[in-house]
């Protein structure tokens, strides 16, 4: 078999690029900017494997250009809502992702956002950098406790469970979760998780609501104006999942009018665009999609793609196949 030709749509950690280049004919997008639809179509029509990531929109129209050529998409990341999986199935294109290896890093960011939002860390840091801090005072920069509060998780997969464990065992939080499938008694015991029969129940009871469900059409604007209204006025919304899960216009309105106390966001519906309405609000912490951004995790994600490609090109079922 000739050496498979592989395209990485972005730069990857050097050690992974090196590893892959020892095994395949690898092309890397040296510009490291997201390829547009035309560039993606050209790639799909000329490589055996294309390795995209969250910034690459692989719609049915784009994917059709790969008919008869590209055989596998080795996605760098666990979320795949940027790829039309149904179209891939129709076209016979295999798709893999990178679960497990980014679980802890993303859960850390969820915990960090919770702490930052509750303790006004972003606002405080801005104050110090602007030389606007005039010293300690008993009544200034008052936030909210995290320890002992109730955390409600929407979605209870690997990242939701890891967040629950850290919050329950680290901060003594009471854990509620809402997901289509109830977790096993073992998982509930490990995480302290209590299943909520409805999303509304969870929203009404939680001091922090953290999103851990997949993105895509089914969860688009799951957190809309009506649901934000169900949350406690003292509650915080945390999103490390996908931007589209939240109606950003409704959230900006809720934050401005103190329908909820605050939010911590790592993801946005139209990245890298962050709604202008958030930028002027002090009660929202805004991060630039850092969930998996540690060196160890980014290397592990790349090696996970490599494992999937190795199995695929050896004629075996790749471990992380999602289509
Ligand atoms: C993921 O893996 O889905 C992260 O959000 C990075 O893309």
């Amino acid at each position: 078999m000739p050496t498979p030709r592989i395209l990485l749509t972005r730069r990857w950690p050097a050690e992974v690029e090196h590893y892959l280049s020892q095994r395949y004919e690898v092309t890397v997008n040296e510009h490291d900017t997201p390829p547009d639809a035309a560039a993606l179509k050209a790639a799909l029509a000329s490589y055996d494997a294309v390795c995209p990531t969250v910034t690459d929109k692989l719609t049915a129209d784009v994917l059709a250009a790969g008919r008869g050529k590209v055989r596998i998409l080795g996605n760098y990341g666990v979320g795949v809502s940027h790829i039309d999986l149904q179209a891939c199935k129709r076209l016979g294109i295999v798709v893999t992702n990178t679960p497990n290896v980014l679980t802890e890093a993303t859960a850390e960011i969820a915990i960090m956002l919770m702490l930052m939002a509750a303790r006004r860390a972003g606002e405080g840091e801005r104050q110090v950098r602007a030389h606007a801090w005039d010293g300690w005072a008993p009544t200034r920069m008052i936030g909210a406790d995290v320890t002992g509060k109730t955390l409600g998780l929407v979605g209870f997969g690997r990242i939701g469970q890891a967040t629950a464990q850290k919050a329950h065992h680290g901060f003594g939080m009471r854990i509620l979760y809402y997901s289509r499938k109830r977790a096993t008694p073992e998982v509930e015991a490990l995480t302290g998780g209590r299943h909520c029969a409805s999303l509304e129940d969870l929203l009404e009871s939680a001091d922090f609501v953290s999103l851990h469900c997949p993105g895509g059409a089914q969860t688009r604007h799951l957190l809309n104006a009506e649901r934000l209204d169900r949350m406690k006025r003292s509650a915080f919304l945390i999103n490390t999942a996908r931007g589209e899960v939240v109606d950003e216009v409704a959230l900006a309105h809720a934050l401005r009018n103190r329908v909820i106390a605050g939010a911590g966001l790592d993801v946005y519906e139209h990245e890298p665009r962050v709604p202008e309405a958030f930028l002027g609000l002090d009660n929202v912490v805004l991060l630039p999609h850092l969930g998996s951004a540690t060196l160890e995790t980014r290397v592990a994600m790349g090696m996970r793609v490599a494992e999937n490609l190795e199995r695929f090109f050896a004629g075996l079922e790749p471990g992380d196949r999602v289509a």
Side-chain angles (χ1 to χ4, degrees):
M1 188 179 82
T3 307
R5 297 182 65 240
I6 292 181
L7 174 82
L8 310 187
T9 64
R10 303 298 296 269
R11 295 305 308 256
W12 286 14
E15 102 179 55
V16 189
E17 287 186 359
H18 178 74
Y19 181 90
L20 288 171
S21 66
Q22 301 292 297
R23 286 154 181 84
Y24 306 104
E25 200 183 314
V26 177
T27 304
V28 176
N29 170 10
E30 302 283 347
H31 303 295
D32 200 22
T33 51
D36 61 14
L40 285 171
K41 285 181 180 179
L44 294 163
S46 35
Y47 289 89
D48 303 300
V50 171
C51 299
T53 192
V54 61
T55 52
D56 306 320
K57 304 277 173 268
L58 290 151
T59 60
D61 170 57
V62 168
L63 287 161
R67 191 188 304 275
K69 181 57 192 173
V70 72
R71 296 168 58 200
I72 178 168
L73 302 182
N75 187 59
Y76 184 89
V78 67
V80 286
S81 60
H82 55 289
I83 305 175
D84 187 330
L85 297 182
Q86 293 310 320
C88 288
K89 283 183 190 156
R90 281 197 304 277
L91 292 159
I93 302 170
V94 168
V95 184
T96 59
N97 70 345
T98 61
N100 297 322
V101 291
L102 45 74
T103 300
E104 299 301 328
T106 309
E108 283 177 7
I109 292 284
I111 296 287
M112 184 171 82
L113 281 172
M114 210 158 66
L115 290 166
M116 286 183 76
R119 301 303 304 273
R120 304 173 64 174
E123 188 185 348
E125 221 234 3
R126 282 191 294 281
Q127 206 176 83
V128 172
R129 285 181 188 274
H131 304 285
W133 180 46
D134 58 3
W136 190 92
T139 57
R140 297 215 193 119
M141 290 299 289
I142 303 299
D145 277 341
V146 170
T147 298
K149 294 281 180 69
T150 297
L151 170 61
L153 299 146
V154 180
F156 204 53
R158 283 175 289 259
I159 299 172
Q161 290 174 22
T163 305
Q165 273 204 41
K166 292 181 199 310
H168 184 61
H169 298 289
F171 297 98
M173 295 183 87
R174 178 172 165 250
I175 308 295
L176 303 176
Y177 71 92
Y178 172 74
S179 73
R180 271 173 308 168
K181 222 174 92 196
R182 186 168 179 168
T184 61
E186 292 74 30
V187 167
E188 290 192 346
L190 206 66
T191 57
R194 241 191 52 211
H195 184 250
C196 273
S198 75
L199 176 55
E200 279 66 29
D201 280 354
L202 178 141
L203 295 174
E204 284 166 13
S205 317
D207 300 302
F208 295 85
V209 172
S210 188
L211 304 177
H212 298 281
C213 53
Q218 286 192 347
T219 53
R220 185 165 183 273
H221 293 189
L222 183 72
L223 265 282
N224 55 18
E226 192 192 319
R227 294 212 169 98
L228 288 165
D229 213 32
R230 295 275 189 142
M231 289 173 62
K232 296 183 185 179
R233 288 186 89 81
S234 56
F236 296 84
L237 177 70
I238 307 301
N239 191 6
T240 54
R242 280 293 180 262
E244 67 259 24
V245 181
V246 177
D247 177 342
E248 292 175 335
V249 173
L251 177 59
H253 178 271
L255 289 167
R256 201 180 307 109
N257 294 290
R258 300 281 167 170
V259 173
I260 63 172
L265 308 176
D266 188 41
V267 287
Y268 308 90
E269 185 161 12
H270 303 290
E271 294 180 10
R273 192 154 57 74
V274 176
E276 203 54 40
F278 290 154
L279 301 179
L281 293 173
D282 263 333
N283 57 345
V284 57
V285 177
L286 304 169
L287 297 182
H289 203 147
L290 295 181
S292 62
T294 70
L295 181 59
E296 298 90 332
T297 297
R298 290 286 166 85
V299 169
M301 288 164 70
M303 295 311 288
R304 191 87 182 203
V305 178
E307 272 170 45
N308 285 318
L309 294 179
E310 263 159 46
R311 287 188 63 85
F312 177 79
F313 286 116
L316 303 169
E317 181 73 3
D320 306 316
R321 185 169 179 172
V322 291

